[in-house]
Amino acid sequence: MLHQDWMQLALIQAQMAYEQGEVPIGAIVVHQGQVIAAAHNEREMNNDPTAHAEILAIQRAAKVLGSWRLTDASLYVTLEPCPMCAGAIMQSRIKRLIYGAMDLKGGATGSVINVLDRTLWNHRVDIIAGVMEDECSDILKKFFRRLR
C-alpha cells in the first residue's frame, strides 16, 4: 500500500474522533504490512490529557506485539505530533513517522521544535511529512469552525 492508503485509515480514525466531539486526530501503527493498532483522540471521553491518538495507538501496538519496542513499525498520524507524543515515538523506537498536517502552534517534529532531532538521540526516526496534508488539515478546520 502507499502512504496515502495508510493515511486514509488514520483519517477514518480522525472522523470517528470528530463524531465524538474530540479534536479529530487519528493514528494507526503499521507493522509488516498490516495495521496492528488504530486510535483517535480520547481526551474528552476519558478526561485524560495524555489520551492523544499517537499515545493510544502506540500502547495498543505494544500490546499486540508483546513488546514496548516497535522498531519495525510505522506510525501514521493526521497531525504533526506534540512534544509528549514525539517523546513516546522516540521511547517506543518507532522506525518511521508519517504525518499529514503540520502543527504550527505545537508541532514537535519540525514545525515549532524537533524532539526527534537526529543529532540528539541514539534512535533515529525517519519522518515523512505532508501526506494528504489538505485532507488532514480540512477535518481540523471543520471541527474548530463547528466549535465557534
Side-chain angles (χ1 to χ4, degrees):
M1 289 177 63
L2 301 172
H3 290 310
Q4 291 81 358
D5 298 320
W6 296 120
M7 188 62 73
Q8 186 60 49
L9 298 176
L11 272 165
I12 291 169
Q13 290 293 314
Q15 182 63 39
M16 292 169 64
Y18 180 90
E19 292 167 4
Q20 295 172 7
E22 297 278 355
V23 175
I25 300 169
I28 64 165
V29 177
V30 176
H31 183 261
Q32 296 180 347
Q34 294 185 352
V35 175
I36 60 167
H40 55 75
N41 275 4
E42 296 181 10
R43 293 189 312 170
E44 301 297 331
M45 183 172 61
N46 294 335
N47 292 315
D48 181 351
T50 68
H52 289 203
E54 302 95 309
I55 299 291
L56 298 172
I58 288 168
Q59 290 172 341
R60 293 169 187 170
K63 283 185 181 174
V64 167
L65 294 180
S67 174
W68 62 269
R69 289 180 182 91
L70 306 178
T71 53
D72 294 323
S74 296
L75 174 67
Y76 288 80
V77 63
T78 57
L79 183 66
E80 178 182 4
C82 71
M84 174 183 68
C85 293
I89 290 165
M90 177 64 65
Q91 291 299 318
S92 65
R93 307 298 193 261
I94 284 178
K95 181 177 184 174
R96 185 175 301 112
L97 165 67
I98 303 93
Y99 69 85
M102 293 175 72
D103 184 350
L104 299 176
K105 293 181 180 178
T109 63
S111 291
V112 177
I113 60 171
N114 189 358
V115 171
L116 302 179
D117 184 328
R118 293 167 113 28
T119 63
L120 297 176
W121 315 105
N122 62 336
H123 178 67
R124 307 287 185 250
V125 179
D126 297 326
I127 302 171
I128 300 170
V131 175
M132 297 184 70
E133 183 173 9
D134 291 340
E135 295 87 343
C136 293
S137 179
D138 287 347
I139 192 169
L140 287 161
K141 289 175 185 174
K142 179 180 165 185
F143 176 81
F144 287 110
R145 267 195 307 268
R146 185 179 80 174
L147 284 181
R148 294 181 190 116

